Amino acid sequence: MSTLKPLKLYGGIFPANPLKVALVLEELGLPYETEDVPMAERKKPPFTNINPNGRTPALYDPNTDLNIWESGAIVSYLVDKYDKDHKISFPHDTNEYYKKVPSAIDRYYNEINRVVGVLEKWLAGSEDGGDGKGPRNYIMGDKCTYTDLVLFPWQIFLPRIVWKGKLNPETEFPNVMAWVKRIGARPSLERILTEVNAIAEPFLKAAEEKMAKAAEEEKQ
């Protein structure tokens, strides 16, 4: 892949949806550049020439002269086009390729704990909500796939912006937290996670301060 022209990821690497795409790019070892698109510039040209919906992330692949948007569609494209060795995917017509993890992604924002609980049971391989096959390191077993990379960004900030002061994720969701640490320790993702953590820190601090202030006001 050394002869490939760098792909361009519009929207940077934060928050979760752009990060999904960046993680897949990193795992596949694809050359890419990022370009931030300010909110005020997203609903007008030239960005709407890239994504008519005016939302990030969007991706331009100069190797195929293709513009594509929506994080799920981008990930599917990258895997189909560039993961020929199935580094983070499975071949078509295999059981693993068609297997789906039970979840409720459509209601994620309103039911965070329930959805994380689904992931917890799946990773635990429990009879109750899992498949009874015992603990697994990654969603599909012992192999990290793009399914892990797509779900991972939603989990890494929950301890600070959702659960802080309310529950201990290490005891409530031990398998999920171990999975988060396992992905976070992957050498191929070290650079981008260091970068995104630095970008996210001011937002996380602001969120923590806002939550602390709200908690104090409730006591009064």
Side-chain angles (χ1 to χ4, degrees), residues 19-40:
L19 181 56
K20 290 180 191 177
V21 178
L23 293 177
V24 171
L25 288 164
E26 292 284 342
E27 282 285 354
L28 293 178
L30 295 172
Y32 71 100
E33 303 167 346
T34 61
E35 182 175 319
D36 188 33
V37 184
M39 189 69 69

Side-chain angles (χ1 to χ4, degrees), residues 126-176:
S126 65
E127 295 285 354
D128 178 21
D131 60 1
K133 294 185 178 180
R136 46 173 57 84
N137 289 327
Y138 298 101
I139 301 294
M140 299 303 296
D142 290 328
K143 178 178 180 177
C144 179
T145 69
Y146 68 92
T147 306
D148 297 276
L149 303 180
V150 167
L151 290 178
F152 173 73
W154 292 107
Q155 310 299 325
I156 54 179
F157 303 121
L158 289 178
R160 289 183 64 179
I161 61 175
V162 175
W163 295 327
K164 187 173 183 178
K166 297 179 180 179
L167 62 80
N168 182 349
E170 298 288 347
T171 56
E172 293 288 335
F173 307 113
N175 289 285
V176 171

Side-chain angles (χ1 to χ4, degrees), residues 97-155:
Y97 177 81
Y98 293 107
K99 198 167 190 177
K100 294 183 179 180
V101 179
S103 63
I105 298 299
D106 290 341
R107 301 175 66 185
Y108 186 90
Y109 292 103
N110 297 323
E111 298 182 287
I112 288 176
N113 287 349
R114 185 180 73 82
V115 175
V116 176
V118 171
L119 181 58
E120 172 69 21
K121 291 177 180 179
W122 180 258
L123 290 169
S126 65
E127 295 285 354
D128 178 21
D131 60 1
K133 294 185 178 180
R136 46 173 57 84
N137 289 327
Y138 298 101
I139 301 294
M140 299 303 296
D142 290 328
K143 178 178 180 177
C144 179
T145 69
Y146 68 92
T147 306
D148 297 276
L149 303 180
V150 167
L151 290 178
F152 173 73
W154 292 107
Q155 310 299 325

Side-chain angles (χ1 to χ4, degrees), residues 3-75:
T3 59
L4 289 175
K5 299 176 183 177
L7 288 70
K8 179 167 284 190
L9 175 59
Y10 294 90
I13 59 173
F14 180 80
N17 283 333
L19 181 56
K20 290 180 191 177
V21 178
L23 293 177
V24 171
L25 288 164
E26 292 284 342
E27 282 285 354
L28 293 178
L30 295 172
Y32 71 100
E33 303 167 346
T34 61
E35 182 175 319
D36 188 33
V37 184
M39 189 69 69
E41 304 296 322
R42 295 180 185 179
K43 298 295 184 180
K44 58 185 180 181
F47 183 65
T48 51
N49 296 331
I50 303 297
N51 180 3
N53 287 336
R55 301 178 66 180
T56 59
L59 183 82
Y60 173 64
D61 186 348
N63 304 285
T64 57
D65 194 27
L66 178 68
N67 289 321
I68 189 167
W69 55 91
E70 299 297 337
S71 59
I74 296 171
V75 168

